[in-house]
């Protein structure tokens, strides 16, 4: 017996292909599934994916038996519809669509109305009583078929119809007369003959064979191959072909068409939601010439069809157990479902639907947790531009920190603070930000930078603050002296209103209205379910008690990264920091450090108190010292005065701190090796804070993290300093508290020698930002010049600073975890880079066995959900 | 039977310990070996390393039986010498020395004259007829014993003798009278009592036990532990103790002492070489009060002793099969050998001795090849400062490129070229050099920089040119405007003479005479033997036909790295390069590239022709573009004029090229991805050059190397460009030539995904400079601020830019080789970083299976020898 290549569906009958996506493709399996459920679907047949692979195996020839089976099924179709291919009175018209196992952009679009020719077009005109529609369909069919099946340049048809509009003196295609359309059909056929070198096929059978071949071939089109490469889809899957009868919603007042959702896709409310048009085709809805009516009105217009539709949508939701997006056509009173698929929805709706479906007993909690895209939650946690607002986009930058904000333009951090003090809302606009701008960033509603990428200073700090930021907006020309911000010819000056959309990267003219984020109770419910399923701990990156409290509210279980450098900029202390840095000897440094100690201690008291005994990972000073020194003449003069040294020698000292590649320079633990008094001061501040709170009865759990370690010897030096101070502080205060000493793993070498390092380190925290920089050799500050090309040309699938490069950087992370745990099985391992808040990366971190991820406070809910999904996919 | 802890040696008798360094330590085994050869050695006994480890296992107590065995052997010694411990007439005096398996600085020095006390000192005085000598020995013994055995502060004894010199009114210790020395002995004993709290031991047995304990304990002294950690010596080896009779060369005119080498250690000539003093002790030679006589005169002075000495030295050389450094003493006509060890020698001598010993049949070629330290050869390949010259060192920098050079000071590359043109010898003095300085560096005799490390631009380029360079001389203050070079208070101006010693880092005042390097025929012989043994290929890094020819003379088998960026600076082409860089669109770039093409093609023709069909690895453009653009206003104005654009817009373009971390920025293959026309031009130049020469009948073998690859997609893009051009050039010229397309592996990620990359790459060349930078996260330009601390504090054993970090960076290299070969077993793998010329690194590259190393021309001989040694140690 020869292979079965073709499966019929229709009139309640299928041949077992329902649900078999590997064989029938996604679309074919779904259509059959509806038929099997007894839902009226225009009948048709599916040519299997196996027929496609056989086509390629067979030197692009149809497999034996395929043609016969197509003809048999065509006959069944004619019988089912009481219509015939090529019949002048009642012609059978079909659509032909590709349909792979998974939806795949880049493959052949639909060919509609196949079966039309000079004879059958008249039949269609008669049947629909609408000659204009018939000839327009025929014109479209030649265009579509000529383009996708016969390879005729799209533009040739466009040019012909444009010319026709001109000679006819009309503006829109739908104003063309029947006569004009008839002429156009002739012209289109001439174009096909001229361009393809053959006549347009009149024979419907020939049309059908050509269309099936075109679908087969579209599997190996350049775009489809590219898509498969990027998405890891095997090239040998092949595509199915769906041939289905056309039905018409424009056959009079008892015909119509519509689209609907089984629940409200905006709010998630459990109501039937959609719209329809009587005596119309789907295209009419899209063209917007007539206004569709709400679906509820169909009840009045066609009560029976409506009742049937309600029965069907409930059946579909019940069957697929998810909100469905359906398309239907009513042809002369008879309802046909054309498509059902999982409906797209807003974040709010996704959460509500998932939670309510659990309450309705439709799905279980695990399914609900899997239903919501973690990344979507971001929308719920920030203010948004009012969806109803109209606005003008000036330029687009990188969506560096989500949410939206409006404010008046200022160009320096100082001005931001001054304007804010007198009650103004401001947007800070800079070429790029530096740690000196922290104060201004803090008071601004949002930040716009012309340079820098998704992990530039501005982006990282803004995300940490939960503040809207558009970064790397190359079109923005900033003149700080003239205080102007120019986009092309549009010049804005200081004080003018501007609005940023940090979720899309849009920079918008003027002040656009906002809607506040709504965190409904459903989100809390869903996240509490997520917590039941996840294995990863979720911590936050927080440098202040305020951030810590925000993160706690979002569900953080500890601080995974408390940077101490931001603390150095606050208030008066920057002056002491600078004295420490430019000191000429250890004594001078020690004196300045002594001034800093009480400040740092105060910082830690605030944070430890906020965290109520949850672990707090404090990273010792990391950035190169030149980030702290002043660059402007005025501040240098002042500092020289304070220090009692000459301006020249201060300038020389500041210059000596400059580095060619600061990222790979004198920073992190290297500062501690050369100036051990700095980590000593920080350790004292940490442990004195811990001791004081312990004395008060507040529980504390500091974890001291040494950054940028590449050799165990560095870590040993720092560990010795910290342990000695911890022991002596405990004695001084007469208390005991637990603490850990660990390290950041962010240097490639640290991954390679993680077994050595784990002999000393009590925990690892992967600093995947720097690890990505060094593993790729990409400076995130400079990568803006080439990284976009890399994404665009498909060299990299994603920005590795946003989503972990699992193959490269991830291999080093895995190596680090394995080597570390081999030596110290109880090693606590986390991640505190930006990737800690990225769902795909969280999935990876779960799989390689990390204990926790740490992310900015506003991403904590996302991380909780992503961690739960990771553990549901790959249970530990 | 109890363990044997002590082994006797003397009077031709040993107890089997000769050659057993594990048991008797190096010194003990060697002394016994001489005794076994029938050579007169002062008798003594060795306490085994096992006794030391038992001491520690036993809570710092002597093992059972040790004391008895020491006493037995002491009795044997007394019998052998006819002298007795504590005998007032003929006292036995001994030396006590430590002696581990390998020579280990940081352990106990010798204690001499043990056995002296207030009674025996008189016996010594009588025996030697020299009371001053006896009391001075006693004084020294108390000092030495008090210090190393009893822990009394050295400085206390120094202070006492200084005071004594003052009260006695003498300048030197040896002018002190016998009376003064007697007083000093009393005072020294008082110091010991005061400081150690116990009396100085009078009993020789007690003295001996104390000294043995001190040797045992010195095994665990802080310095010894540190030394073992650094050198990977196990802590449980323990040290042996050697107790040996004292002999005296100052017992009259038939006594004497001397040192000698079995061959001339300076030239390697096969003559007995050394000096001696009659009626003297070894110290007298060192003190320089009397001038020693050449050893040949001993034949006249004491013909019998001399004949015996000649017999012995020949015996020793014959036995050890290497040039020996011996110490001897003649006591009352009787010759004693005190020590024999392998003699240190100059590079010239090492080569000559190795080659001549093969010719004499003493050793085989393999042994000869192992006898010469590869690093030593460096001395033979560069001019040197005349060893007889006297000079004043102004400062010391890093010995960045060996050899010496003198010239007049100039401060810019342009001046260097101008001065050179009018026939002056110049030294180029810069804060640091950049690619713009290449021309000036080329004409200078040597280069001095104030900043930058061993792998700074100046250092790397100078080594490549084989030109002397002192880099990172922090003491040099350079004022380019005033044209002065200041060291502290010494100011030098333009045109003054200065001399550099690139082998030591010395900066020397004025013009010091030089001697030319002598590459004797012996070196050629030795290297040809090395070539018989090595498995690694040796290539060179060369950017010009001249460098290529030099390297060929040194034995290079190909070019492993031909950088193309240096070519961009020559002559007029820099202007075209700059036009290419600042072009605003692809057209502008293409026009400028078209101008460059003939230049580049010419470069490659020259190099390919020089290399006569040997493989030439050409690296496509690597550095960030801003290295090529002008920074000075004048050149910017000129360039803007040439390009017909405004100075402002040119400045803006130049500014836009600036990067925060250029090392991790837009360079290497990233340039090719964003501007594919650059690699296209370079590929065309390479292949047209190859085609032209092929047509001429010259064999060529270009290997195109893509730098900075981190993903196979980058390489695929470049490979496609190159292959297309190669094929089309071959067609155009109607010729065929072989070529390869491969990549530099210098990004950590490339090692991790080497299996992916090897699918495309036909060869790998490890760029260990950048790989070290990124694996450690060290910028070599900036590491000068902390790397010295790292070495000093023992965090790193060696500068990883000079000698490969085998544990960290090496693991990634190994991973890269293994993953690459797993996919493509025939993959050709080499290294072209600085490490390709470092012997320890070469040994590693041999072990991980590389095909070749590539180094600067002047290191090719070193690499040949090191590669041979690597293969002898670990044959492939």
């Amino acid at each position: 017996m020869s292979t079965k290549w073709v499966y019929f569906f229709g009139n309640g009958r299928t041949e077992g292909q329902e649900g078999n996506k590997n064989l029938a493709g996604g679309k074919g399996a779904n259509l059959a599934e509806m038929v099997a459920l007894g839902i009226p679907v225009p009948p048709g047949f599916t040519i299997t994916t196996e027929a496609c692979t056989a086509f390629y195996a067979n030197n692009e020839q149809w497999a034996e038996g395929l043609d016969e089976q197509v003809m048999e099924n065509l006959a069944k179709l004619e019988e089912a519809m009481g219509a015939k291919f090529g019949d002048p009175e009642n012609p059978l018209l079909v659509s032909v669509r590709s349909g792979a196992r998974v939806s795949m952009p880049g493959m052949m679009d639909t060919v509609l109305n196949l079966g039309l020719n000079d004879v059958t077009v008249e039949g269609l005109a008669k049947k629909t009583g609408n000659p204009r529609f018939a000839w327009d369909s025929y014109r479209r069919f030649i265009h579509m078929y000529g383009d996708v099946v016969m390879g005729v340049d799209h533009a040739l048809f466009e040019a012909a119809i444009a010319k026709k509009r001109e000679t006819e003196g009309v503006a829109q295609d739908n104003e063309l007369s029947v006569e004009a359309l008839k002429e156009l059909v002739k012209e289109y056929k001439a174009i096909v003959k001229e361009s393809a070198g053959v006549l347009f096929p009149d024979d419907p059978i020939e049309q059908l064979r050509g269309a099936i071949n075109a679908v087969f071939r579209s599997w190996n089109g350049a775009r489809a191959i590219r898509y498969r490469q990027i998405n890891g889809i095997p090239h040998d899957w092949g595509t199915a072909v769906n041939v289905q009868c056309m039905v018409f919603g424009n056959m009079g007042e008892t015909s119509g068409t519509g689209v609907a959702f089984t629940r409200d896709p905006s709010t998630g409310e459990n109501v039937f939601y959609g719209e329809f048009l009587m005596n119309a085709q789907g295209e009419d809805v899209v063209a917007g010439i007539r206004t569709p009516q709400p679906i509820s009105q169909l009840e009045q217009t066609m009560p029976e069809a409506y009742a049937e539709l309600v029965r069907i949508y409930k059946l579909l939701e019940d069957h697929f157990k998810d909100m469905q997006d359906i398309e239907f056509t009513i042809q002369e009173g008879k309802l046909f479902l054309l498509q059902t698929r999982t409906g797209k929805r807003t974040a709010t709706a996704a959460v509500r639907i998932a939670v309510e479906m659990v309450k309705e007993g439709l799905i279980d909690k695990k399914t609900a947790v899997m239903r919501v895209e973690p990344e979507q939650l971001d929308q719920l946690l920030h203010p948004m531009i009012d969806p109803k607002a109209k606005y003008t986009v000036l330029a687009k930058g990188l969506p560096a920190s989500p949410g939206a904000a409006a404010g008046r333009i200022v160009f320096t951090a100082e001005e931001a603070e001054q304007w804010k003090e007198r009650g103004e809302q401001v947007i800070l606009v800079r070429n790029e930000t530096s740690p000196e701008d922290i104060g201004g960033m803090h008071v601004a509603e949002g930040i716009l930078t012309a340079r820098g990428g998704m992990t530039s200073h501005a982006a990282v700090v803004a995300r940490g603050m939960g503040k809207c930021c558009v970064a790397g907006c190359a079109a923005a020309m900033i003149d700080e002296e003239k205080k102007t911000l120019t986009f092309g010819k549009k010049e804005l000056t200081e004080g003018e209103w501007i609005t940023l959309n940090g979720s899309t990267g849009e920079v918008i003219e003027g002040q656009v209205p906002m809607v506040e984020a709504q965190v409904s109770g459903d989100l809390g419910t869903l996240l509490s379910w997520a917590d039941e399923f996840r294995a990863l701990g979720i911590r936050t990156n927080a440098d202040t008690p305020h951030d810590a409290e925000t993160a706690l509210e979002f569900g953080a279980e500890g601080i995974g990264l408390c940077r101490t450098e931001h603390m150095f900029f606050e208030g008066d202390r920057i002056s002491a920091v600078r004295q420490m840095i430019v000191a000429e000897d250890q004594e001078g440094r020690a004196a300045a450090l002594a001034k800093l100690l009480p400040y740092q201690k105060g910082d830690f008291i605030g944070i430890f108190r906020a965290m109520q005994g949850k672990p707090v990972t404090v990273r010792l000073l990391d950035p190169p010292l030149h980030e702290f020194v002043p660059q402007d003449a005025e501040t240098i003069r002042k500092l020289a005065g304070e220090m009692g040294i000459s301006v020249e020698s201060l300038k020389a000292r500041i210059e000596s701190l400059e580095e060619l590649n600061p990222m790979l320079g004198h920073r992190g633990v290297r500062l501690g090796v050369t100036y051990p008094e700095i980590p000593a001061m920080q350790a004292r501040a940490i442990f004195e804070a811990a001791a004081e709170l312990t004395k008060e009865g507040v529980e504390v759990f500091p974890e001291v993290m040494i950054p940028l370690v590449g050799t165990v010897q560095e870590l040993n030096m720092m560990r010795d300093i910290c342990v000695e101070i911890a022991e002596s502080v405990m004695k001084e205060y007469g208390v005991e508290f637990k603490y850990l000493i660990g390290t950041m793993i962010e240097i490639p070498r640290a991954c390679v020698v993680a077994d050595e390092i784990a002999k000393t380190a009590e925990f690892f925290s992967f600093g995947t930002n720097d690890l990505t920089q060094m593993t790729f050799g990409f400076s995130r500050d400079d990568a803006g010049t080439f990284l976009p090309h890399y994404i665009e040309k498909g060299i990299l699938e994603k920005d590795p600073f946003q989503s972990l490069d699992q193959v490269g950087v991830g291999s080093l992370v895995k190596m680090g975890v394995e080597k570390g745990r081999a030596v110290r099985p109880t090693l606590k391992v986390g991640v505190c880079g930006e990737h800690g808040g990225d769902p795909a990366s969280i999935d990876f971190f779960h799989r390689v066995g990390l204990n926790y991820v740490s992310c900015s406070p506003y991403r904590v809910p996302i991380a909780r959900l992503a961690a739960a999904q990771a553990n549901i996919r790959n249970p530990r």
Side-chain angles (χ1 to χ4, degrees), chain A:
Chain A
M1 214 187 84
S2 82
T3 314
K4 182 166 177 61
W5 302 114
V6 184
Y7 288 77
F8 188 80
F9 60 85
N11 291 347
R13 202 157 57 82
T14 67
E15 302 185 301
Q17 75 270 41
E18 58 272 25
N20 191 345
K21 293 187 177 180
N22 291 359
L23 186 73
K27 198 186 304 283
N30 241 11
L31 285 167
E33 203 154 356
M34 282 201 285
V35 170
L37 285 169
I39 293 168
V41 165
F45 54 86
T46 301
I47 301 168
T48 64
T49 58
E50 289 171 356
C52 177
T53 52
F55 174 80
Y56 282 109
N58 198 18
N59 200 21
E60 307 209 358
Q61 300 296 316
W62 285 19
E64 208 193 312
L66 176 56
D67 196 63
E68 291 78 352
Q69 293 183 27
V70 167
M71 292 307 136
E72 280 165 29
N73 278 276
L74 187 60
K76 277 193 220 171
L77 212 50
E78 289 174 330
E79 195 192 320
M81 294 302 286
K84 272 193 138 44
F85 243 22
D87 188 318
E89 298 301 317
N90 192 16
L92 175 70
L93 301 182
V94 298
S95 65
V96 179
R97 293 177 170 95
S98 62
R101 293 193 200 182
V102 293
S103 172
M104 231 179 80
M107 276 170 51
M108 197 188 84
D109 290 332
T110 308
V111 173
L112 294 176
N113 292 320
L114 188 142
L116 282 177
N117 57 25
D118 294 348
V119 175
T120 56
V121 68
E122 299 292 356
L124 182 61
K126 214 178 294 169
K127 206 169 143 185
T128 57
N130 191 343
R132 223 207 67 81
F133 164 73
W135 283 95
D136 193 50
S137 298
Y138 191 21
R139 185 271 302 175
R140 286 172 196 265
F141 169 57
I142 299 169
H143 178 160
M144 207 181 275
Y145 193 96
D147 173 11
V148 305
V149 179
M150 304 180 77
V152 178
D153 186 356
H154 196 66
L156 298 171
F157 300 115
E158 304 282 4
I161 196 168
K163 202 172 158 203
K164 186 63 68 190
R165 284 196 305 267
E166 207 178 305
T167 56
E168 295 285 305
V170 301
Q172 301 290 334
D173 292 351
N174 56 29
E175 296 169 74
L176 290 170
S177 66
V178 173
E179 279 318 300
L181 288 168
K182 286 183 179 175
E183 285 163 26
L184 208 49
V185 161
K186 279 192 194 141
E187 288 165 26
Y188 274 16
K189 286 190 169 182
I191 287 171
V192 168
K193 195 184 162 201
E194 170 77 20
S195 178
V198 293
L199 288 172
F200 187 85
D202 276 336
D203 176 9
I205 298 284
E206 197 186 328
Q207 290 173 359
L208 180 62
R209 289 193 182 120
I212 292 169
N213 272 329
V215 173
F216 284 164
R217 291 208 177 96
S218 73
W219 175 255
N220 273 346
R223 273 177 57 219
I225 290 175
R226 174 75 202 292
Y227 182 86
R228 290 201 293 275
Q229 281 170 342
I230 291 175
N231 292 280
I233 298 171
H235 293 304
D236 59 2
W237 276 6
T239 179
V241 187
N242 297 292
V243 178
Q244 194 177 14
C245 285
M246 296 293 300
V247 287
F248 299 98
N250 55 348
M251 288 177 78
E253 287 312 313
T254 58
S255 297
T257 191
V259 296
F261 293 85
T262 60
R263 305 196 180 205
D264 185 330
S266 300
T267 65
E269 193 187 348
N270 190 356
V271 292
F272 192 40
Y273 181 96
E275 47 193 26
F276 74 102
L277 266 177
M278 293 311 287
N279 198 12
Q281 281 219 318
E283 288 162 16
D284 299 324
V285 182
V286 178
I289 301 161
R290 291 164 55 195
T291 305
Q293 294 176 279
I295 196 77
S296 54
Q297 291 195 14
L298 187 62
E299 193 166 11
Q300 280 87 57
T301 316
M302 300 200 73
E304 274 175 44
Y306 182 75
E308 172 71 350
L309 189 58
V310 167
R311 182 189 72 81
I312 288 170
Y313 99 70
K314 290 192 168 159
L315 181 63
L316 284 171
E317 201 183 81
D318 217 53
H319 179 71
F320 289 106
K321 299 192 189 306
D322 200 356
M323 189 262 271
Q324 297 294 300
D325 166 0
I326 61 181
E327 286 178 29
F328 63 90
T329 286
I330 303 168
Q331 181 175 311
E332 297 177 323
K334 179 164 168 49
L335 176 71
F336 291 97
L337 266 284
L338 301 184
Q339 175 157 290
T340 188
R341 57 184 171 188
T342 303
K344 294 204 190 306
R345 61 205 79 180
T346 63
T348 312
V351 171
R352 178 165 173 180
I353 291 170
V355 170
E356 290 189 352
M357 282 190 171
V358 171
K359 292 185 179 157
E360 291 160 18
L362 210 56
I363 58 175
D364 60 11
K365 287 181 188 175
K366 194 184 271 191
T367 308
V369 164
M370 292 304 287
R371 277 285 164 79
V372 180
E373 271 297 314
E375 199 56 61
Q376 268 192 314
L377 294 189
D378 210 27
Q379 292 175 28
L380 304 182
L381 304 167
H382 298 279
M384 290 177 291
I385 288 181
D386 187 336
K388 293 181 297 291
K390 302 265 181 231
Y391 53 80
T392 309
V393 174
L394 295 166
K396 221 170 155 185
L398 299 170
S401 180
R408 294 172 185 275
I409 296 168
V410 294
F411 292 97
T412 68
E414 293 75 45
E415 281 162 352
E417 295 188 71
Q418 288 158 12
W419 284 57
K420 179 72 179 181
E421 250 171 57
R422 57 174 200 255
E424 299 283 358
Q425 251 173 273
V426 298
I427 299 286
L428 178 60
V429 176
R430 307 277 297 154
N431 273 315
E432 54 204 320
T433 62
S434 73
E436 289 191 58
D437 295 326
I438 294 282
M441 296 171 77
H442 199 71
V443 299
E445 305 301 314
I447 297 126
L448 169 64
T449 66
R451 299 196 206 123
M454 290 296 287
T455 48
S456 61
H457 179 265
V460 172
V461 172
R463 282 200 293 279
M465 292 176 173
K467 195 169 292 270
C468 156
C469 174
V470 172
C473 181
M477 303 300 291
I478 297 169
D479 188 328
E480 286 184 23
E481 271 183 48
K482 293 199 329 209
K483 300 199 176 178
T484 58
L485 165 64
T486 315
F487 298 95
K489 293 186 193 301
K490 177 85 190 172
E491 187 180 281
L492 302 172
T493 54
E494 188 183 46
E496 285 196 63
W497 280 89
I498 198 174
T499 301
L500 303 180
N501 186 344
S503 307
T504 63
E506 286 169 329
V507 181
I508 299 162
E509 197 174 352
Q511 185 178 14
V512 182
M514 303 283 157
V515 290
E516 267 310 301
Q518 289 187 330
V519 180
S520 72
D522 287 334
L523 178 57
T525 305
L526 186 77
L527 290 173
S528 73
W529 294 343
D531 290 345
E532 292 172 22
F533 292 112
R534 70 185 158 85
L536 276 172
I538 309 295
R539 296 198 191 179
T540 191
N541 301 350
D543 309 343
T544 64
H546 171 78
D547 288 354
E549 279 153 18
T550 307
L552 279 176
E553 277 165 31
F554 282 138
E557 298 163 321
I559 291 181
L561 176 61
C562 173
R563 300 178 194 86
T564 53
E565 49 269 23
H566 296 164
M567 301 172 182
F568 280 23
F569 283 97
E570 276 174 35
D572 303 332
R573 54 180 92 174
I574 184 65
S575 162
V577 170
R578 287 167 173 170
Q579 287 173 26
M580 182 264 287
I581 291 169
V582 301
E584 303 210 331
D585 50 25
Q586 202 177 329
E587 252 174 66
R589 263 196 309 280
L593 284 164
K595 287 192 216 165
L596 282 172
L597 178 63
Y599 289 122
Q600 280 260 289
K601 184 172 161 184
D603 295 330
F604 297 130
I605 286 178
I607 288 169
F608 292 161
R609 196 191 296 278
M611 292 305 290
Q612 309 153 15
K614 293 192 168 66
V616 176
T617 307
V618 179
R619 179 176 74 182
L620 300 190
L621 194 65
D622 183 56
L625 298 181
H626 64 80
E627 285 197 9
F628 298 99
V629 297
Q631 300 297 340
D632 61 304
E634 179 48 37
T635 317
I636 290 175
R637 193 156 43 240
K638 211 177 118 201
L639 182 60
E642 281 172 18
M643 298 193 57
I645 58 174
S646 75
V647 170
E648 281 67 41
S649 80
L650 179 56
K651 272 190 186 162
R653 174 71 181 133
I654 289 174
E655 213 172 281
S656 77
L657 291 172
E658 276 170 24
E659 296 184 304
L660 283 175
N661 296 289
M663 164 66 211
L664 305 177
H666 194 186
R667 51 176 284 242
V669 68
R670 298 161 198 172
L671 294 172
V673 169
T674 46
Y675 307 124
E677 50 280 6
I678 300 178
M681 181 280 283
Q682 293 200 293
R684 180 159 286 280
I686 292 166
F687 294 128
E688 285 193 1
E692 233 164 71
L693 289 173
T694 305
K695 225 165 183 155
E696 267 186 40
V698 179
E699 213 189 318
V700 294
F701 187 9
E703 301 178 334
V704 180
M705 179 158 75
I706 315 298
L708 220 69
V709 161
T711 72
V712 70
Q713 287 82 2
E714 293 167 311
L715 183 60
N716 289 344
M717 262 189 78
M718 297 300 114
R719 195 257 329 259
D720 292 350
I721 291 171
C722 292
V723 168
E724 195 192 319
I725 291 171
E727 303 302 319
S728 95
V729 167
M730 286 198 223
K731 261 186 219 151
E732 284 165 33
Y733 282 78
V735 294
E736 298 246 317
F737 49 82
K738 60 183 173 176
Y739 68 94
L740 299 177
I741 312 267
T743 182
M744 232 164 140
I745 302 284
E746 51 187 335
I747 300 268
R749 191 179 194 278
C751 297
V752 176
V753 301
D755 44 354
E756 284 294 318
I757 292 175
K759 287 181 191 159
T760 297
E762 292 172 305
F763 65 88
F764 281 0
S765 178
F766 284 94
T768 49
N769 293 353
D770 276 6
L771 190 59
T772 299
Q773 293 199 82
M774 293 184 219
T775 302
F776 270 99
F778 285 170
S779 158
R780 63 185 186 189
D781 295 308
D782 303 311
T785 47
F786 56 88
L787 213 46
H789 290 263
Y790 269 57
I791 312 288
E792 188 190 304
K793 297 190 182 177
I795 292 174
L796 292 173
E797 199 187 317
K798 297 190 255 184
D799 180 342
F801 293 113
Q802 287 177 49
S803 195
L804 189 81
D805 159 44
Q806 299 183 13
V807 175
V809 180
S811 291
L812 289 178
V813 169
K814 191 158 175 281
M815 180 192 292
V817 175
E818 286 168 1
K819 288 196 161 197
R821 291 247 175 87
V823 167
R824 189 188 286 261
T826 61
L827 188 74
K828 183 148 74 165
V829 185
V831 62
C832 60
E834 288 286 310
H835 304 96
D838 169 64
S841 310
I842 290 169
D843 188 77
F844 177 83
F845 295 132
H846 170 81
R847 280 182 280 120
V848 298
L850 259 53
N851 299 90
Y852 69 86
V853 298
S854 185
C855 55
S856 58
Y858 286 85
R859 292 196 79 85
V860 166
I862 295 168
R864 286 164 70 191
L865 184 57
Q869 295 186 351
N871 198 33
I872 291 169
R873 276 190 291 267
N874 293 288
R876 275 208 187 146

